[in-house]
Amino acid sequence: MTGGIGALRCWSAKPMWFGWTRAEWLFYTLVVGVAVVMRFAGLGDRAFHHDEAIHAKESYDMINGKQYRYDPAYHGPLLYFGNALLFHLLGSSEVLARVIPAAFGVGAVVAVALFRWELGRAGTVIAMLAIATSTTFVYYSRFIRNDIYVAFFTIVLVAAVVRYIGWPRKRWIYVAWISLGFSLATKENTFIHGFALAVVILTLGGVAMGYNWRRQSSLGGGAQVSNAIQVFSRDIEHVVYGALVFLGIVFVFYTSFFTYLPGFRDAFTRSIEYWTEVHGSERVNQPWFYYAMYLAVYEPFAIVFGAVAMFRTRTARSPLPVVLAVWILVTWIIYSAAGEKAPWLVLHVLWPPILIASWWVGRWFDARRAIAPRVCVGILGGGFLFWSLWFAIPINFERGDVPNDFVVYVQSSSDVIEVAEVVNQAAVRSGKGLGLRVVVDEEFAWPIVWYLRDYTNVGYGKAPTLEDVQVADIAILTLADADEFGIQLPEFVGRQMVLRGWFPESAYKSWDATFLSRFLGDPVARETFGRWLLTREVTPVPTGSFDFVMYVRTSLLGAGPMGRFQL
């Protein structure tokens, strides 16, 4: 028995690629496998969100002849060209539309391995596992939004900077510029990250100056940073070449592959102008404590251990904790002050605390330390990671269209999928196929436009008239119009359905300085909140919804019911 254990230890300790041991590669493979399953399983089950439908429909239109033009309201071109290529090769579907975001979600886990030399063996596995099972990362890896793309590119960008400090090679300069280029081709918040990078570089310059002055530094990696800056001064030529590569990437995508040259200018002008206006309008605003509240509820590992690690950067031997601490401070302040705060933006304030927390926790297991503290840190850290995974599973695989969590925020209901199924059945029964006449009030156009994208006789208009409805096979109307027209539509069967639901933001937006005392003094409020926190089955305040009435012509129901519609 002892010999077998010894042989296993010997086998697992043998180095493989990059000098990492077999045991490390085994753990990395297992974690990436978990990430793949959690991002690709049941990828098309949840109905398209309003924004997802817009993004996917734009890509679908591009393969059918539409010329892409950059609009800052819908962010950068990379997402659209990527999905257009996929649709062109494999056809369009909800699953395929989400494949690229899911791949970037897995890529974010893999990219953490670039920090292996700074995080250590244990810290790398912990960081990869934390991102692989994060409620937020999993949800927005299964969602056609630009943010998971940007999160991946930003992780690679910061990794390239850290790798250059530890191992100054020209390749990392190009990796950094390429990552920044693709990030800007994806979304405008890259400007925020570019500013954060500038502050990091200035801070590292200060670290190097302190080291050169005293030959020691109170912050980690002083000698490494000083050496990297000296090498960097000889690599300026490659910095320029890298900048040209960055501009080339931006130029190619924003000009729609050289077909619309003003797009390149728009990438740097219209983008900033538009999002400056959005900041002023506070279109999707949240309270100043939104991100802290969010992380405390869904990502306790990041916020608790991340905060502890921030105070331990002075003990670091590498520059990574300093880089992450500065990055966290800069981006946290900017994102918290921004007029638009939303759950998908949490990705950008989440991954740095995960990495710095993993660095701190990993040190407890990579070095010889007292058993009792290691056990406590391990249990607490494992508990925090399990908490996130515990809610990631039902949110993503059981009730992803139920807005009982503010990670969901606003989401189309499963009724949208039923609408598409009923329309498809009606098209077959009527014999009209894709020429089926459907009338949709424009208030309910998205995401229905995506689901009816192949139909040629669908009318989207404001307040359809009674005559419009009477000549249709199927109609989707507001509740008010249904009340007005319903009695005059005996040849139709109508059912009230839900287009989308949303988490009741009033549950926390009303908090003020007196909230805590009132909350502690209200046993009903404490019980309601505690039940929601532990089960997420019932929200403290009822969720909201946006409803419509769908009418189906009775002649289509003679062969039997279609969904909830029957004679």
Side-chain angles (χ1 to χ4, degrees):
M1 183 68 176
T2 304
I5 295 176
L8 179 62
R9 287 178 176 175
C10 182
W11 177 87
S12 63
K14 286 186 177 180
M16 293 179 65
W17 303 291
F18 308 115
W20 303 345
T21 65
R22 288 176 174 174
E24 286 183 85
W25 278 104
L26 178 61
F27 278 119
Y28 298 157
T29 303
L30 290 174
V31 173
V32 172
V34 170
V36 169
V37 171
M38 295 198 68
R39 282 150 180 79
F40 283 93
L43 196 55
D45 293 348
R46 188 180 68 235
F48 261 4
H49 180 278
H50 174 281
D51 293 355
E52 288 187 288
I54 292 175
H55 297 158
K57 183 61 164 54
E58 178 70 19
S59 296
Y60 178 79
D61 290 342
M62 287 167 64
I63 67 172
N64 288 290
K66 181 179 180 180
Q67 181 67 47
Y68 174 81
R69 293 288 183 268
Y70 169 62
D71 184 341
Y74 303 108
H75 307 302
L78 181 64
L79 178 149
Y80 302 105
F81 281 108
N83 266 4
L85 177 61
L86 201 61
F87 289 169
H88 175 71
L89 296 174
L90 301 174
S92 62
S93 70
E94 292 77 66
V95 173
L96 283 175
R98 288 171 172 155
V99 160
I100 296 178
F104 273 106
V106 175
V109 176
V110 175
V112 171
L114 292 171
F115 296 96
R116 158 64 178 80
W117 292 268
E118 288 75 28
L119 288 175
R121 293 177 180 176
T124 304
V125 173
I126 293 168
M128 292 176 69
L129 185 62
I131 292 179
T133 59
S134 159
T135 300
T136 310
F137 265 95
V138 173
Y139 188 83
Y140 288 106
S141 296
R142 301 165 60 86
F143 198 104
I144 318 172
R145 282 200 70 91
N146 316 67
D147 296 276
I148 189 62
Y149 298 59
V150 174
F152 167 79
F153 290 129
T154 311
I155 291 172
V156 175
L157 168 67
V158 174
V161 172
V162 174
R163 290 273 19 93
Y164 186 86
I165 295 171
W167 189 47
R169 296 293 186 274
K170 301 176 182 66
R171 71 187 67 170
W172 299 116
I173 295 175
Y174 291 101
V175 170
W177 277 117
I178 291 171
S179 301
L180 199 61
F182 280 117
S183 183
L184 184 55
T186 304
K187 194 175 181 183
E188 301 80 2
N189 62 337
T190 299
F191 289 113
I192 295 174
H193 304 153
F195 175 76
L197 178 61
V199 176
V200 165
I201 292 173
L202 289 174
T203 303
L204 292 174
V207 171
M209 289 177 62
Y211 175 80
N212 292 333
W213 180 37
R214 300 187 305 176
R215 285 295 158 186
Q216 61 182 359
S217 175
S218 59
L219 295 176
Q224 282 185 323
V225 174
S226 177
N227 177 64
I229 289 177
Q230 292 179 31
V231 177
F232 184 78
S233 65
R234 299 192 294 270
D235 286 341
I236 295 298
E237 178 183 359
H238 296 279
V239 175
V240 175
Y241 294 154
L244 292 175
V245 173
F246 161 80
L247 292 173
I249 292 170
V250 175
F251 185 84
V252 167
F253 280 100
Y254 277 93
T255 62
S256 299
F257 289 84
F258 314 109
T259 61
Y260 182 68
L261 297 184
F264 180 66
R265 178 194 61 221
D266 293 343
F268 298 95
T269 56
R270 285 187 63 204
S271 60
I272 296 176
E273 291 170 2
Y274 177 83
W275 287 104
T276 300
E277 292 176 3
V278 170
H279 166 70
S281 68
E282 299 187 348
R283 183 185 63 178
V284 185
N285 197 18
Q286 299 288 346
W288 62 269
F289 54 80
Y290 178 74
Y291 292 121
M293 173 189 68
Y294 183 106
L295 264 61
V297 171
Y298 294 100
E299 312 287 353
F301 175 82
I303 194 168
V304 174
F305 284 146
V308 173
M310 290 275 285
F311 290 99
R312 302 298 297 169
T313 56
R314 296 176 66 90
T315 66
R317 295 181 179 178
S318 81
L320 174 64
V322 178
V323 170
L324 292 175
V326 174
W327 192 279
I328 290 169
L329 289 174
V330 173
T331 55
W332 193 282
I333 291 171
I334 294 175
Y335 278 109
S336 296
E340 179 155 324
K341 291 185 277 290
W344 47 86
L345 295 175
V346 171
L347 291 176
H348 311 297
V349 298
L350 171 59
W351 69 262
I354 285 180
L355 291 192
I356 199 170
S358 301
W359 162 77
W360 183 77
V361 173
R363 293 174 69 193
W364 286 90
F365 297 95
D366 282 334
R368 292 183 176 275
R369 294 175 181 262
I371 294 297
R374 292 174 68 181
V375 170
C376 291
V377 170
I379 291 175
L380 191 57
F384 285 153
L385 292 177
F386 181 76
W387 173 275
S388 188
L389 175 62
W390 179 258
F391 293 109
I393 292 174
I395 288 173
N396 287 283
F397 301 103
E398 297 173 9
R399 47 178 171 81
D401 57 357
V402 179
N404 285 352
D405 292 87
F406 44 82
V407 63
V408 177
Y409 190 59
V410 178
Q411 175 58 37
S412 304
S413 80
S414 58
D415 289 356
V416 171
I417 297 177
E418 184 178 349
V419 167
E421 292 172 345
V422 169
V423 170
N424 291 337
Q425 291 180 55
V428 174
R429 290 189 183 184
S430 67
K432 297 180 180 179
L434 297 178
L436 186 77
R437 178 58 182 166
V438 183
V439 172
V440 181
D441 189 293
E442 65 179 14
E443 291 190 31
F444 311 107
W446 298 101
I448 290 175
V449 170
W450 163 261
Y451 288 96
L452 306 186
R453 62 192 179 279
D454 292 323
Y455 285 84
T456 59
N457 197 15
V458 181
Y460 299 96
K462 186 173 179 60
T465 66
L466 177 61
E467 291 73 23
D468 293 331
V469 177
Q470 288 175 329
V471 299
D473 297 299
I474 291 176
I476 295 175
L477 306 176
T478 64
L479 302 188
D481 284 345
D483 287 341
E484 180 181 349
F485 299 157
I487 197 170
Q488 303 176 69
L489 299 172
E491 68 274 29
F492 287 86
V493 173
R495 294 288 184 269
Q496 184 170 334
M497 307 175 80
V498 177
L499 184 74
R500 67 178 69 96
W502 54 83
F503 185 86
E505 297 172 299
S506 59
Y508 58 83
K509 278 191 171 182
S510 60
W511 291 357
D512 55 24
T514 65
F515 164 76
L516 185 59
S517 61
R518 289 185 284 109
F519 174 77
L520 294 176
D522 187 341
V524 175
R526 295 198 308 271
E527 180 184 355
T528 302
F529 173 75
R531 186 166 57 249
W532 170 81
L533 185 65
L534 295 175
T535 67
R536 313 292 165 86
E537 293 177 356
V538 180
T539 53
V541 178
T543 58
S545 68
F546 187 39
D547 298 0
F548 62 91
V549 176
M550 182 175 181
Y551 285 98
V552 176
R553 192 171 287 278
T554 54
S555 60
L556 297 171
L557 301 172
M562 295 190 299
R564 71 186 70 180
F565 296 88
Q566 58 185 349
L567 294 175

